[in-house]
Amino acid sequence: MADPIIKRVQVRSILSKSNLPVCEYSVNPYVGCTHGCKYCYASFMKRFTGHAEDWGSFLDVKIWPEIKNPEKYAGKELFIGSVTDPYLPQEAVYERTKALLLQLKGSGARLSIATKSDLILRDLELIRSFPEARVSWSINTLEEDFQRDMDGAVSIERRLAAMEAFHRAGVRTTCFISPIFPGITQAEEIISRAKEHCNLIWLENLNLRGSYKPVILNYIKEKYPQLLPLYQEIYSRKNMAYWEALDLQLKKFTAGIGLDYVTNDDSMNRPFQAPPVVVNYFYHEKIKKHRG
């Protein structure tokens, strides 16, 4: 893959009021995302960027005025990484996420950070200084070949190692099994692998729409032709039977290994050392405002 086109852009503010169910403010230190995930829901953002290049091939580095009165965000929910990964490889050079954390340090803001990277280990001590900080890693396979087909982020092993390090340091961690690819994602194996190193396990189904729907269907046709009828049933005929069956299967599996299994539940108040809660997000229309 060619090197991304990178430019610096001035923005008036780095914090945006959010309607997302998990936060009051969304924070994205970059525009674009060089992981280039084939299933990226955030690719719709391209139409707001002025870029003609493909999503994944450009990155705008945000430069913002230093945050004044950061203490006004005390107790507020800030979600870092809603439409980009705040720990892209380029963060090692531009350090915009680190600059944000330093500007907010001591403010009392409550952070949730979503990533597919282990570069976040650089900022572990800084992140743990925030009250009830939480970090989530997207892990939808244990097969490195499939991961490399789907995204340009670091390996699954490196993500799991970073999760373990944060959990060991006392930071709340989430294993985000998303998106679940029917017939491919080994959800039970991922749960078994991650459960000792996280407080929450979120499950989210692959939701095909927009420009990446044909990309994924063509990939399935080429690499997993035996699964194509299943994908057509789910994504052309809108049949939810697969997800309903997987829901029941995972509920039974998690009960068997001593984990609670809930749907879109607020589990923030569970003790840190309690077994992780498995939260099902297969039914997006039921999602309500919460912090998990």
Side-chain angles (χ1 to χ4, degrees), residues 15-243:
L15 295 130
S16 302
K17 273 286 193 179
S18 175
N19 292 320
L20 291 171
V22 293
C23 65
E24 292 162 271
Y25 292 88
S26 62
V27 189
N28 292 286
Y30 301 93
V31 177
C33 185
T34 57
H35 288 333
C37 303
K38 285 185 170 66
Y39 50 78
C40 182
Y41 69 88
S43 58
F44 76 92
M45 289 291 295
K46 176 186 165 182
R47 65 178 179 266
F48 304 115
T49 68
H51 281 273
E53 301 87 9
D54 291 339
W55 183 260
S57 67
F58 65 86
L59 189 72
D60 292 349
V61 179
K62 290 184 181 179
I63 309 297
W64 60 87
E66 186 163 351
I67 298 170
K68 295 180 180 179
N69 303 317
E71 60 274 4
K72 73 181 181 180
Y73 299 106
K76 302 296 185 183
E77 311 281 355
L78 277 57
F79 179 28
I80 304 176
S82 60
V83 289
T84 189
D85 192 320
Y87 286 96
L88 295 167
Q90 292 77 19
E91 166 65 15
V93 177
Y94 297 101
E95 296 191 338
R96 302 313 296 149
T97 300
K98 184 174 184 178
L100 170 70
L101 295 175
L102 288 171
Q103 289 173 31
L104 290 171
K105 185 178 181 181
S107 67
R110 300 173 69 191
L111 304 183
S112 292
I113 303 173
T115 187
K116 289 180 177 169
S117 178
D118 60 353
L119 177 57
I120 193 172
L121 288 166
R122 180 198 66 190
D123 295 340
L124 191 157
E125 293 302 321
L126 187 52
I127 291 166
R128 71 187 289 199
S129 73
F130 286 81
E132 300 180 2
R134 187 184 71 215
V135 181
S136 67
W137 284 264
S138 297
I139 297 172
N140 70 350
T141 183
L142 296 177
E143 298 294 333
E144 301 290 358
D145 287 344
F146 179 69
Q147 176 262 309
R148 285 190 292 269
D149 280 351
M150 286 295 116
D151 67 64
V154 301
S155 71
I156 300 301
E157 289 301 318
R158 287 172 61 177
R159 298 180 210 182
L160 287 165
M163 181 191 302
E164 180 178 358
F166 268 79
H167 191 263
R168 196 167 55 241
V171 178
R172 288 186 176 270
T173 55
T174 299
C175 179
F176 193 19
I177 305 179
S178 171
I180 293 177
F181 277 71
I184 300 173
T185 298
Q186 323 92 324
E188 293 183 3
E189 294 178 31
I190 298 171
I191 292 170
S192 296
R193 181 74 184 278
K195 65 183 177 66
E196 302 299 328
H197 310 304
C198 60
N199 302 89
L200 285 171
I201 298 171
W202 285 354
L203 306 168
E204 184 181 46
N205 49 336
L206 175 66
N207 186 10
L208 289 187
R209 60 186 180 222
S211 60
Y212 62 87
K213 181 176 180 178
V215 172
I216 294 299
L217 291 179
N218 286 337
Y219 173 84
I220 295 299
K221 184 177 180 180
E222 178 184 351
K223 295 291 185 73
Y224 297 89
Q226 73 279 11
L227 293 177
L228 187 59
L230 173 62
Y231 277 69
Q232 291 171 333
E233 187 68 22
I234 296 170
Y235 298 108
S236 297
R237 302 181 183 89
K238 310 299 182 184
N239 188 339
M240 289 291 289
Y242 178 85
W243 302 114

